Amino acid sequence: MAAQKINEAHEHIAKAEKCLKTSLTKWKPDYDSAASEYAKAAVCFKNAKQYEQAKDAYLKEAEYHTENKTAIEQAGMMMKEQKKMPEAIQYIEKACMMYMENGTPDTAAMALDRAGKLIEPINLEKAVDLYQKAAGVFENEDRLRQAVELLGKASRLLVRLKRLDEAAVALQKEKNMYKEIENFPMCFKKTTAQVLIHLHRGDFVAADKCVRESYSLPGYSGSEDCVAMETLLQGYDEQDEDQVYRVCNSPLLKYMDNDYAKLAISLRVPGGGGKKKKAAAAPQGGASGAPAAADEEEDDYEGGLC
């Protein structure tokens, strides 16, 4: 089967080359027909899993059929099949630039998103770049819902990369977009993520400011998200390790996107010398009733310190 497909591919290439030749009766090369034959050859090579040759055929198609920008993107996908991700991304980015020049920005943004997904498992930094570029294209087209979704991908990866300063900026942009499209519950979630990032950066003032600014959002004041952040900031400010632990291990924070949930469960009070109840070590204690005893013991302990 593979050998048959390879033979078919070579037949199509021979036809393409014939289309490009000139003679006394044929003064101009037939570029459209040549491109069509190269496209057929590329599919045959692809089906035969001859990805390098398929890539070359797609590039030939793109060379002779300048209106068909997808051929270059397809060449990139052939590189992907060979696990040559950097080369794959280069071709896809080139195709995206041509999509933009050709007046099809949506196609460009979607291709950048696909490229981001391809490279994410091996190069988070490049994935961030591609997602941000895609978001920028959608934003320029006033397609904010698509833009903010891609910004969210970039923000989470920035957290994973521990580039928290950049993540804080990206999250603020996300939050502003959600506010513009009036998705206020998502604004609440982004405020929570902002607080976690700023506290990990050691910037309590910035974390507190995020919550205060969010009071102007419809429905935020008194909401579950708001109360949790007020409680977290109070515990952090008073160095109450137990209060911080309880908020950070609550379902509201534990079931956030994984990268933010990890920030929550790893948050520590600076110095670690504040109030800490033994209930925080409950997983080792086990038996029911133990937490109450621990609370009682803690109250006596606190009283002894006063």
Side-chain angles (χ1 to χ4, degrees):
M1 181 69 176
Q4 181 185 342
K5 288 295 179 185
I6 292 170
N7 287 335
E8 286 179 28
H10 285 298
E11 287 173 12
H12 287 302
I13 288 175
K15 289 179 182 178
E17 290 171 346
K18 187 176 179 181
C19 291
L20 295 171
K21 288 179 179 176
T22 57
S23 66
L24 290 173
T25 57
K26 181 189 170 192
W27 294 0
K28 282 186 176 181
D30 185 351
Y31 293 126
D32 286 346
S33 296
S36 178
E37 293 297 336
Y38 278 122
K40 292 172 185 175
V43 172
C44 289
F45 281 132
K46 179 181 176 182
N47 290 339
K49 300 190 186 303
Q50 300 298 304
Y51 298 121
E52 185 68 26
Q53 289 167 290
K55 180 262 296 182
D56 291 338
Y58 277 125
L59 291 178
K60 283 289 187 183
E61 179 196 357
E63 182 181 347
Y64 296 118
H65 193 177
T66 55
E67 294 303 313
N68 187 4
K69 310 300 184 288
T70 58
I72 295 178
E73 188 179 348
Q74 284 300 315
M77 297 309 289
M78 295 306 97
M79 291 291 94
K80 173 245 180 184
E81 294 294 343
Q82 297 177 79
K83 312 296 183 190
K84 296 179 179 178
M85 290 303 180
E87 293 94 331
I89 300 306
Q90 284 176 9
Y91 282 123
I92 296 172
E93 284 191 288
K94 183 178 179 181
C96 291
M97 289 176 64
M98 296 174 77
Y99 291 143
M100 293 290 290
E101 291 167 3
N102 203 41
T104 53
D106 285 5
T107 306
M110 289 186 284
L112 287 167
D113 182 20
R114 286 194 292 273
K117 289 173 186 172
L118 285 180
I119 202 71
E120 187 176 320
I122 58 172
N123 189 334
L124 293 179
E125 288 88 351
K126 186 61 180 177
V128 168
D129 176 55
L130 291 166
Y131 289 142
Q132 289 179 331
K133 283 179 179 175
V137 174
F138 275 132
E139 186 180 2
N140 288 339
E141 295 300 304
D142 289 325
R143 295 185 59 181
L144 298 188
R145 282 177 174 79
Q146 289 83 357
V148 77
E149 184 180 336
L150 287 158
L151 274 179
K153 290 182 181 182
S155 298
R156 291 191 291 275
L157 294 188
L158 286 169
V159 170
R160 203 176 304 171
L161 288 163
K162 296 182 170 55
R163 288 160 55 180
L164 297 185
D165 290 354
E166 293 169 73
V169 173
L171 266 169
Q172 184 61 50
K173 188 167 185 178
E174 269 190 85
K175 187 172 166 182
N176 292 341
M177 279 194 189
Y178 277 120
K179 185 177 180 181
E180 195 168 339
I181 61 178
E182 299 186 348
N183 187 339
F184 298 117
M186 283 304 295
C187 291
F188 302 171
K189 301 302 178 192
K190 297 306 166 184
T191 298
T192 299
Q194 283 181 305
V195 168
L196 291 171
I197 285 173
H198 286 310
L199 291 182
H200 269 276
R201 291 175 61 243
D203 193 341
F204 177 87
V205 173
D208 185 60
K209 183 182 177 185
C210 287
V211 174
R212 292 182 183 279
E213 287 178 347
S214 294
Y215 288 145
S216 63
L217 297 170
Y220 184 71
S221 185
S223 68
E224 183 183 17
D225 299 86
C226 177
V227 171
M229 289 305 95
E230 289 173 338
T231 306
L232 175 60
L233 289 171
Q234 180 191 42
Y236 191 91
D237 191 36
E238 295 176 0
Q239 294 192 330
D240 187 335
E241 292 182 3
D242 178 58
Q243 186 163 314
V244 169
Y245 175 89
R246 278 189 287 106
V247 176
C248 288
N249 284 270
S250 66
L252 184 69
L253 272 67
K254 283 177 76 173
Y255 298 117
M256 293 178 74
D257 286 318
N258 196 42
D259 293 297
Y260 299 127
K262 286 180 179 178
L263 285 182
I265 61 176
S266 62
L267 185 64
R268 298 289 179 269
V269 172
K275 296 179 284 183
K276 184 176 180 181
K277 296 186 179 181
K278 292 185 180 179
Q284 296 178 356
S288 61
D295 285 352
E296 216 174 290
E297 192 175 310
E298 174 65 25
D299 291 340
D300 293 338
Y301 186 62
E302 284 192 49
L305 288 174
C306 292

